[in-house]
Amino acid sequence: MHLQTIDLAFFVPTSVAVQVYVVEAAWALLAIPIVLASIRFGARGAMCTWSAGSAAYLAALQIPEVGLGAEAATAVGRLGVLLAIAASLALLARWLQEGWLHQADLTRQIESRLDRLAVIESATGAMRAASPTELVSICLDHVVHLGFDAAMATRGAKVIAATGARGAEPSETNVNSPPFGEIRITTWTTSERTDRHSASLSEPLSGITVTAWSNEPIDDDSARALGELVAATTKAVEAAIHLDHARHQATHDPLTNLANRRTFNDELEVATTRPRPVAVLSLNLDDLEANTESGEDRIRDRYLVVAARHLQRAVGDHGLVGRIDDNEFAILLTGPAARHGHRLGRDLASAFRRPVVIDGLQLRACVSIGVADGVGPANARTLVHQAAMARKRVHEPGPRRTPTGRWRCGSNDPSSRPREGPKLPA
């Protein structure tokens, strides 16, 4: 504003002086401060400058040395021309100002969208190496980065995870799950009579509802970014589930869901490198047949599944059970549990004496068990070989117990008498 005053103070006397002493068209110099005002202050500045300049120009013409005289009509006409110039500049300034404001708004929107896309990209990158249980927390952390104050994930009435500013979530509200694919924006009024705004949507794969709260109204762009983030989380969950399924198939037997041969050998290699007790039990189901002549593979497979579950319950968390071959299983015990490998072998031999009824058929299998133990570091192949050889020697005459240990169900050895069931001590 000070600059505009200086412009007027300079151009008004200059215009009058030039008009008197130089040419008649010098009054047009007054258009210069009007143009400058339109650039600096827009339409309102142009009109205010014309008003102030016209008043100053007429006042200057009243000076006796200048005199208005018969030129009053001419002066008014000149001011009318300046008014037309000022009005045109005012319209132009308004149009340009609106264009600048619109462009600035578009720029802010683009920058905001780019920031949100960067957040979603960051979340996608973090989810690539995450487990399914970590994906929800990663999603909520990035929801807050989108500009929300708090976020929460629920499944039914259970809160799975939450993050963000404490107190941003209305504690007295209960968010209902919106339909799949729909973002529900709601305004809450808290007990303190302050407004809270929320956006919620349900993730269709797991049924988890993600709700984000904000102290400011939630616009469509924020809601859309939230939807894109949850969609990225859904894809990450699907990928993680498929990856876990593929890993499980690669490491487990498809029939019994036990560890396969490769997984068992890998775990055994790791266990034998550590300085701690380790034991290997080699089991084979001999004479697997029903008391009828059915011989269906379906019945036999179901018995193998029952046997696998029985072995898994017997070992529990104390070791690893694997299916090595068709009727062959193996058990790996480490640490304190390895000291009870021989006892577990006796208990399993006794337990398998009982028949299993499947579809009305009594299915019986006699199990041969060999045990080898030692203290690591040890040779994994040697332990497996010793356990397998002990299992194969159960049909040989002689004592049922050797330094490695061998048992077979149905023998008359007192050590094979039925017990309450195989169980490892805690």
Side-chain angles (χ1 to χ4, degrees):
M1 187 59 69
H2 294 291
L3 291 176
Q4 202 61 35
T5 303
I6 295 174
D7 291 340
L8 289 173
F10 174 76
F11 283 105
V12 168
T14 301
S15 177
V16 174
V18 171
Q19 178 177 339
V20 174
Y21 301 107
V22 184
V23 293
E24 289 291 329
W27 59 271
L29 292 175
L30 288 175
I32 296 177
I34 297 176
V35 173
L36 295 176
S38 65
I39 295 174
R40 294 169 181 166
F41 307 108
R44 182 175 299 178
M47 297 307 297
C48 291
T49 302
W50 172 83
S51 299
S54 298
Y57 182 74
L58 292 175
L61 292 179
Q62 297 297 325
I63 301 174
E65 290 78 4
V66 178
L68 183 58
E71 296 183 359
T74 304
V76 173
R78 293 169 180 174
L79 295 180
V81 173
L82 292 176
L83 176 61
I85 295 173
S88 300
L89 291 175
L91 292 176
L92 178 62
R94 181 177 293 276
W95 179 76
L96 291 175
Q97 188 177 27
E98 290 178 352
W100 292 334
L101 292 175
H102 180 66
Q103 185 64 36
D105 185 58
L106 289 179
T107 302
R108 284 193 297 270
Q109 291 180 10
I110 292 174
E111 291 177 350
S112 178
R113 289 177 182 176
L114 290 177
D115 292 340
R116 288 164 177 163
L117 286 176
V119 172
I120 296 173
E121 184 179 358
S122 174
T124 304
M127 290 176 182
R128 288 173 185 166
S131 64
T133 56
E134 298 172 334
L135 293 175
V136 176
S137 297
I138 294 176
C139 175
L140 295 186
D141 290 339
H142 286 80
V143 168
V144 175
H145 293 161
L146 287 176
F148 293 94
D149 297 305
M152 183 174 66
T154 58
R155 182 186 285 116
K158 181 180 179 182
V159 177
I160 299 175
T163 188
R166 180 175 297 179
E169 172 198 342
S171 58
E172 68 272 12
T173 61
N174 212 356
V175 178
N176 296 322
S177 299
F180 293 134
E182 177 183 328
I183 301 177
R184 179 176 295 168
I185 299 177
T186 310
T187 299
W188 307 92
T189 301
T190 64
S191 57
E192 292 82 9
R193 295 184 179 180
T194 58
D195 288 341
R196 295 284 189 273
H197 308 274
S198 68
S200 60
L201 68 162
S202 294
E203 191 270 306
L205 183 63
S206 62
I208 295 176
T209 298
V210 177
T211 305
W213 279 273
S214 175
N215 293 326
E216 301 296 331
I218 300 174
D219 55 22
D220 293 338
D221 287 340
S222 298
R224 191 179 301 111
L226 178 63
E228 292 174 357
L229 179 57
V230 174
T233 305
T234 301
K235 294 179 180 179
V237 170
E238 292 176 348
I241 291 175
H242 289 313
L243 181 60
D244 285 352
H245 182 66
R247 288 174 177 171
H248 187 82
Q249 286 184 324
T251 57
H252 288 74
D253 175 62
L255 177 63
T256 62
N257 204 33
L258 297 177
N260 58 21
R261 178 195 290 270
R262 180 177 179 179
T263 303
F264 184 87
N265 290 337
D266 290 344
E267 292 293 330
L268 178 61
E269 287 286 348
V270 174
T272 52
T273 60
R274 299 169 181 171
R276 57 187 309 188
V278 59
V280 176
L281 284 75
S282 178
L283 303 89
N284 191 77
L285 300 180
D286 305 322
D287 305 324
L288 180 58
E289 60 182 10
N291 59 1
T292 66
E293 296 182 358
S294 171
E296 296 182 5
D297 290 339
R298 180 177 61 86
I299 301 296
R300 175 179 169 278
D301 288 346
R302 290 183 63 182
Y303 182 85
L304 290 174
V305 172
V306 172
R309 291 175 181 173
H310 177 73
L311 293 175
Q312 191 66 63
R313 284 194 301 267
V315 175
D317 297 331
H318 299 281
L320 175 68
V321 183
R323 186 186 182 194
I324 306 304
D325 206 346
D326 190 18
N327 292 350
E328 183 180 351
F329 297 85
I331 298 175
L332 170 63
L333 302 175
T334 58
R339 300 188 181 95
H340 304 278
H342 296 282
R343 171 181 160 187
L344 178 62
R346 289 194 303 269
D347 291 347
L348 288 173
S350 299
F352 272 93
R353 294 179 60 186
R354 296 185 290 270
V356 176
V357 178
I358 299 177
D359 288 349
L361 301 177
Q362 281 194 342
L363 199 66
R364 183 191 300 272
C366 194
V367 62
S368 300
I369 303 176
V371 183
D373 55 13
V375 178
N379 189 296
R381 294 185 178 181
T382 300
L383 283 177
V384 171
H385 177 72
Q386 291 176 350
M389 294 304 297
R391 172 177 56 80
K392 293 177 181 179
R393 287 196 300 268
V394 296
H395 299 284
E396 298 177 0
R400 294 288 181 180
R401 170 82 182 270
T402 66
T404 53
R406 53 191 172 103
W407 295 271
R408 188 170 189 269
C409 68
S411 69
N412 294 322
D413 189 1
S415 64
S416 65
R417 294 174 184 174
R419 298 173 178 237
E420 295 180 356
K423 184 179 180 182
L424 284 175

